[in-house]
Amino acid sequence: MSDHDYVIVGAGSAGCVLAARLSEDPSLRVLLLEAGPRDRKLEIRIPAAFSKLYDSDVDWGFRTASQAGLDGREVFFPRGRVVGGSSSINAMMVLRGHRSDQVAWGPGWSWDDVEPAYARSEAVFPRAELGDRNPLTDAFVEAAVAVGIERCADLNAPPGEGVGFVPVSQRRGRRFSVADGYLRPALGRSNLDVVTGAHAEELVLENDRATGVSYRHADGRRDAIATREVILCAGAVGSPHLLLLSGIGAGSELAAAGIRPRHELPGVGKGLRDHLANGILVATAGAETLHTAESIPNLLRWLLRRRGPLTSNVAEGAAFVRTRATLAAPDLELLFAPVLFEEEGLAPPSQHGFTLASVLLQPASEGEIRLASPDPTAAPVIDPRYLTDPTGHDAAVLLDGIRLARRIAATEPLARFVTQELLPGAAAVGEADLVRHLRERSQTLYHPVGTCRLGSDEYCVVDAELRVHGLDGLRVVDASVIPVLPRGHTNWPTVMVAERAADLITRADSRHSG
Ligand SMILES: Cc1cc2nc3c(=O)[nH]c(=O)nc-3n(C[C@H](O)[C@H](O)[C@H](O)COP(=O)(O)OP(=O)(O)OC[C@H]3O[C@@H](n4cnc5c(N)ncnc54)[C@H](O)[C@@H]3O)c2cc1C
């Protein structure tokens, strides 16, 4: 049994920020629980090696439920299970989205409200340019400009659209995760305890208050007591899962799953949105792609000088575009990787080539996380319900993306490297062929949000200060509270959420003690 002011569950992107920020006050005792191990693997450090972490001991290695919109496929759904969480296994892209995204977050979360939190994070978690960008990525940007997409020097600055090079979370050619930026410098503090290999199984609830967390460790089951708050930072899958296991959710569904309902909150796990991606895969000649990056000379180059193709984050270029001129902000992202990203990244590239992926920025399809079993060690059901929106909006945007990607691939200076379109393949020209390709090949871009949505309607789980509705001593602070997908990627927005939460929590603290 241990006793702390704050018990934080999950040392991922959000948990690392909160543990570091809250423990800045030496009078507060903070405990950070993480199911996975320390982030010591070499593949975490080597940027281009991130897909080697898939299905490894630092990945939860989830699969979605069978997806009706994707030919019944169970989509590979990686999530970091390690200190740093998904920021230790991600593709390091630092793209926060469009300023207008904040409108849907409601009071307290406008752009003017969140901008200071972004600014604070930049001092700790800076973004960098790739040191050794692949020449094909330059050719992609020039070809995109040639088809009429505006060149953009900084994809994070207004207007939030156009084509450019992707900024990355790296320092001197190696991954710089949120754990590197925030947690590592705080580890020496005597008021911060970090326990790895600690799988939280249930919240301890006394009446309407969360007072601790029960977790499984190598030496058995332990309880951690929180005298002020329990803060869930277990991510868009882990946080709703733990709430449901603790009897917090839709009572009838909990009872049906074999869990005693404790607190009615029907939105827990609902509202899941994710970025769906679909690539055209193109074989090339005349360029050294990342197909040959994995070699002894390149490993030595990386080890000795932190240079060479192993410093690549793979997805090196991006374009944010509006598929219709009447839209106020981009609805499509094109991501360029100078390598064939095959079989959801689970297979090594078979030959030289590039991937130009269309990403659906604002999906209408909505899914959920639900219990598969009352056993806390069993994975929950992850059901994003990709491409199931009744109007067909989502497929239409991705089809526009495939057509635009093909135009760029056929335009100089990129076109000169192209030998053959491998997928969907030159024979796939009609809409039916392209829709078949969408259903057979689309994959996640790994950005689930919304499963503990912030706001005040019946399906919201936390209020504007990220406190769980109707319970004391309990907050959720991670990607699960993000109500709408950013027109960007989710890591930096999650860091922003945690920076802002730290501010809200310490301000509430000083109100109580003052
Ligand atoms: C392969 C991949 C590539 C990505 N690429 C990018 C990218 O390039 N750019 C970008 O912006 N975003 C990217 N993302 C998404 C981004 O990394 C996430 O949105 C972000 O890390 C989410 O942060 P989080 O704190 O919500 O969750 P996480 O960082 O996933 O942290 C949750 C933590 O909680 C722990 N946990 C869960 N359940 C329990 C439990 N019961 N007990 C104890 N601990 C628990 C987990 O092990 C994990 O460490 C990528 C994600 C993946 C998986």
Side-chain angles (χ1 to χ4, degrees), residues 2-228:
S2 66
D3 195 340
H4 292 80
D5 294 295
Y6 294 101
V7 175
I8 300 170
V9 178
S13 300
C16 287
V17 175
L18 266 184
R21 287 298 188 204
L22 295 179
S23 63
E24 281 172 2
D25 178 347
S27 72
L28 294 176
R29 291 154 309 142
V30 178
L31 173 64
L32 179 61
L33 300 174
E34 167 55 44
R38 301 292 291 268
D39 51 345
R40 293 207 174 103
K41 273 179 118 74
L42 185 63
E43 292 89 341
I44 293 177
R45 304 279 151 244
I46 301 176
F50 74 86
S51 63
K52 293 202 170 281
L53 299 165
Y54 290 178
D55 270 344
S56 74
D57 59 336
V58 297
D59 175 17
W60 290 87
F62 296 127
R63 301 293 187 275
T64 66
S66 161
Q67 295 298 287
L70 300 183
D71 283 349
R73 283 188 297 128
E74 296 178 2
V75 176
F76 176 52
F77 207 85
R79 299 276 92 204
R81 185 177 181 277
V82 59
V83 167
S86 298
S87 85
S88 287
I89 71 163
N90 72 12
M92 291 152 276
M93 286 174 264
V94 188
L95 294 162
R96 64 182 155 188
H98 199 267
R99 288 171 188 222
S100 65
D101 294 342
Q102 289 310 127
V103 174
W105 292 48
W109 294 87
S110 69
W111 180 258
D112 286 346
D113 292 318
V114 305
E115 211 284 328
Y118 273 123
R120 278 197 301 283
S121 76
E122 280 188 277
V124 189
F125 185 61
R127 53 189 193 278
E129 277 189 20
L130 281 179
D132 286 304
R133 198 167 54 228
N134 189 284
L136 271 186
T137 307
D138 294 71
F140 155 71
V141 169
E142 295 310 319
V145 170
V147 305
I149 301 175
E150 206 62 43
R151 191 189 302 276
C152 179
D154 178 358
L155 290 168
N156 284 298
E161 58 185 295
V163 62
F165 303 116
V166 168
V168 289
S169 42
Q170 286 188 13
R171 189 170 274 181
R172 290 186 291 279
R174 52 161 266 190
R175 177 192 297 274
F176 192 70
S177 72
V178 185
D180 293 316
Y182 282 90
L183 188 62
R184 219 170 297 290
L187 283 177
R189 294 177 189 157
S190 59
N191 62 330
L192 172 63
D193 294 321
V194 181
V195 184
T196 54
H199 187 147
E201 297 194 331
E202 197 180 358
L203 298 173
V204 181
L205 298 173
E206 285 173 24
N207 303 316
D208 287 338
R209 183 176 187 85
T211 57
V213 177
S214 275
Y215 64 97
R216 174 84 42 197
H217 200 256
D219 53 10
R221 202 173 155 119
R222 297 183 190 172
D223 280 347
I225 292 176
T227 53
R228 294 190 195 210

Side-chain angles (χ1 to χ4, degrees), residues 11 15 64 78 93 121 125 148 227 318 349 360 382 395 424 438 447 484 498 513:
T64 66
M93 286 174 264
S121 76
F125 185 61
T227 53
L360 175 64
I382 300 170
L438 277 186
H447 295 166
V484 287
S513 48

